[in-house]
Amino acid sequence: MTQNCKPNCCNSNSEKIYVKGTLHDIEVGMKEITLADKSLPKVRIYDTGGEWSANTKPDVNKGVKRLREPWIKKRANEGQTLTQMALAKQGIITPEMEYVAIRESLGHMKNGSYLITPELVRSEVAAGRAVIPANINHPEAEPMIIGNRFLTKINTNIGNSALGSDIDREVEKAIYSCLLGGDTLMDLSTGNNIHQTRDRIIRNCPVPIGTVPIYQSLEKVNGIAEELTWNIYRQTLIEQCEQGVDYFTIHAGLLKNYVSLTSKRLTGIVSRGGSIMAKWMIANGEENFLYTHFEDICEILAKYDTAVSLGDGLRPGSIHDANDQAQFAELATLGELTKIARQHNVQVLIEGPGHIPMNKIKENVERQQELCHSAPFYTLGPLTTDIAPGYDHITSAIGAALIGWYGTAMLCYVTPKEHLALPDKEDVRNGIIAYKIAAHAADLAKGHPSAQERDDSMSRARFDFRWNDQFNLALDPERAREYFGKSSHGNDFCTMCGPNFCAMRISHQIADEQKKHSQNQ
Amino acid sequence: MTQNCKPNCCNSNSEKIYVKGTLHDIEVGMKEITLADKSLPKVRIYDTGGEWSANTKPDVNKGVKRLREPWIKKRANEGQTLTQMALAKQGIITPEMEYVAIRESLGHMKNGSYLITPELVRSEVAAGRAVIPANINHPEAEPMIIGNRFLTKINTNIGNSALGSDIDREVEKAIYSCLLGGDTLMDLSTGNNIHQTRDRIIRNCPVPIGTVPIYQSLEKVNGIAEELTWNIYRQTLIEQCEQGVDYFTIHAGLLKNYVSLTSKRLTGIVSRGGSIMAKWMIANGEENFLYTHFEDICEILAKYDTAVSLGDGLRPGSIHDANDQAQFAELATLGELTKIARQHNVQVLIEGPGHIPMNKIKENVERQQELCHSAPFYTLGPLTTDIAPGYDHITSAIGAALIGWYGTAMLCYVTPKEHLALPDKEDVRNGIIAYKIAAHAADLAKGHPSAQERDDSMSRARFDFRWNDQFNLALDPERAREYFGKSSHGNDFCTMCGPNFCAMRISHQIADEQKKHSQNQ
């Protein structure tokens, strides 16, 4: 059951292959690249494209395959509890967990076990150190895991605002994100047609979907933050759980007393959800209702196995404000909420900043891991300088790679247009590739068992002048081809150095001469 | 004496200003940005554009102003020794050293002294921990310093190959590089008209120029490495010293015995100079003539105050080959050569890799500083993964920022087309901005006294919705304007969030309400 995969954005001489499970009747999709040198083994790569990267042609009006539906139905029929965390605590390895293990291992085994074992997946989920976002109403999502023992993941953000974009364009960006390697996707729409936009995205996305429910709640009160109520928020949560949202950003840790801690900041509160809740608290003189109703929230989420991503409403928005009292006060409260969520078997992610200079990044991971009981950290960048609008995919890829290496489990991408405008499709591409680079650099530094194979295959292809293999192994084959294609070149050198100055060509000659010399001796 | 500066690539509402020296009759150029909020002080930024960023219109046929000519003549008339290192060792603060101190301080003083004092500059140069590349025949170059107590610098590479580019295009790229912030420039031409291309670049560049003389030497023997001789190389050195080259990459540390250490590598020798010398040694069965004649080389260089940048001919070309025996064996020899060069008062830089995973970067700096007696480290990237051709400005900006923070003094840029093709002007732009970001992120992390002012000004402008100030303070004002300009927006929000979801706008409202509340109490 292999199929050709050649959409424009991943033209890589690869086939989609499916590795069968041993514990469960599952087939785990991944890609396999065939090299020009047939004596070398095919190279497997992690794939987030689902049906879109197979050669089936899904109908965007109907949505993609409901992969997990039979697993979920079976559990319901057997009267099992439905959250992955509860099952993991009971010692049960779900189909989702085996899927994740095979996927992370690229199907490779060592001593009869997958490189990443299903038992490791189960135990990390049970301990809350890893999260498998898997709303029972989003059976289209292929299981994936977020935790620092696993591959570093990336999240992409899309969504319209009151001033731009439409449904079709957002769905197109969502599919494009999956094809390019986005592991999860947040729909941050705040404009018209929020419900419909989200529905189309969920039905067409093979990756978990996240939202920030306060945005839609605010639309329901015509943008007047003061008029938000727990009841409106609660209804929004249920509406979105029913649709299949896999994780919610909830700014429940921003307490009333913390708002004044931001008064010495250069850039105040830069989280949209955080600023909305702060405004609500000041106007109403009450404690954050997301905090006071957190148990109620967990009860709702547990029914659907929607994970909570505890938002950092007080994340710093500038180098100046990094690692301040406001930021860390909120983080401590997120730790408190983590414990409550786990009691309800709700899986927890902790969101992190933002803007941080390199020398202050490590402290963020250390404090988060300690205060939040090793829950997976999920950071936005961080940007390591404020002075490069137009290039914030780069200012933040530096911080993202570093924080990934230090132990952050998922990196929320930043596009070149951050601080300037909504991203278009090309911005999404540039943001994703920058973050695939950061995540992979982190995986190499952490020594993930399946990370370096692709680098080594690339390097071997370089040394052998197998240009097509280099393109096919690249994160963005299309761009690599495009840049190379414009230049003239020979078979064993390229336009950069020309024939006389090609070090690799000379290296081959040296090896040949050394061989000759040793034979003559 | 202030002049408007508005070339296309740095449209930043800035003036070129000149700060006078106190020890010497010098005027140090820098830029000053006027903000829309006139109650805020103007923001000074380091400028590498020389006359090109002033509103004079230099004639490319005549070259730019010969700033240092009177200083050099005066020293010659007084019979002084000519290298900055020799003068520094004698306790003399040269005009170049004072220039550098004022430039690094952006003219700012604290307790009556510049933030970076002339004496610090002198003592670092005397100790060999910093280098001021300043060939007496390149008086057009504005003094700048490379050392880890100073701002992290970036180098850009341009140059034709046998297969591409011409003189005018290379000169245009060179000037563009200076305008965008390149601190030094290497002309790596290997094709036709090497001498003439270099001449035009040197006469028009206000930044130090580096070359790899073995390239031109090889052209003189028609590309046949085996036929290289010390005499041909020596003549090339003198020719280039006379032209005004400020530093030479010389692969003198690659010894004959080290070549076989590369046999276990995935990508062999990837340095062009390194591979040429390896081929010569194998073919002739002799030791590297750059090593055996290193004292002769130093004698030539000392006459012109051309610095030596000891090349890492065995730098790793892949993640697989990072930090291997070959690499570190050569590094130890570079340390030995450093001592010899210093005896001749020749200033020394040490070149470094290349391709290194993040977890192995620190070891590179630590070993280099120890083995090479704290000489400034000058690294190419390093790239932190091999799998992203087309985006190697990003794979390497991550490594560059990290290695800069750890203590590398100058970062050699990598463009998006690395491994694929020669860079065009847009690639030069993308490479430079990525490296300005990396260098600045490193300066922030290291706490350079003049680094954070620009970030704070940017953040303040963000919080105040002063859009034009944000563009003007950006590393690439033109691109920031372009991205913003395409989108619709209001005065106190933008297209990203729309009016209801603008956190900064809400932050202002919160601050207002808090004020009201406290007044009512």
Side-chain angles (χ1 to χ4, degrees), chain A residues 101-239:
Chain A
I102 295 173
R103 199 175 186 191
E104 290 271 327
S105 307
L106 297 172
H108 294 313
M109 298 185 119
K110 196 175 169 181
N111 305 329
S113 307
Y114 288 114
L115 298 180
I116 301 288
T117 65
E119 172 52 25
L120 176 68
V121 172
R122 187 206 61 76
S123 64
E124 290 291 295
V125 171
R129 288 190 298 265
V131 165
I132 299 178
N135 184 320
I136 55 169
N137 291 331
H138 186 201
E140 297 91 345
E142 297 185 325
M144 55 79 71
I145 195 162
I146 303 163
N148 69 17
R149 302 278 298 267
F150 306 98
L151 289 166
T152 307
K153 303 303 187 294
I154 71 163
N155 173 73
T156 69
N157 292 332
I158 60 160
N160 65 3
S161 79
L163 302 175
S165 205
D166 60 44
I167 296 183
D168 287 345
R169 223 189 307 163
E170 294 310 313
V171 173
E172 192 191 346
K173 279 194 253 176
I175 295 170
Y176 193 57
S177 166
C178 298
L179 283 170
L180 277 170
D183 292 289
T184 66
L185 179 87
M186 289 195 80
D187 173 15
L188 301 184
S189 293
T190 58
N192 296 321
N193 306 315
I194 289 191
H195 186 97
Q196 293 82 342
T197 304
R198 189 169 51 235
D199 191 62
R200 290 277 276 204
I201 290 172
I202 292 174
R203 298 285 77 82
N204 282 289
C205 271
V207 306
I209 301 297
T211 65
V212 189
I214 201 78
Y215 296 172
Q216 191 182 6
S217 307
L218 188 65
E219 296 289 357
K220 290 179 179 174
V221 293
N222 302 311
I224 303 170
E226 300 87 308
E227 298 187 358
L228 284 165
T229 64
W230 159 242
N231 202 38
I232 287 167
Y233 187 83
R234 184 180 158 276
Q235 286 166 6
T236 309
L237 277 189
I238 294 170
E239 172 188 339

Side-chain angles (χ1 to χ4, degrees), chain B residues 123-138:
Chain B
S123 65
E124 290 292 295
V125 171
R129 289 190 297 264
V131 165
I132 299 177
N135 185 321
I136 55 170
N137 290 331
H138 186 201

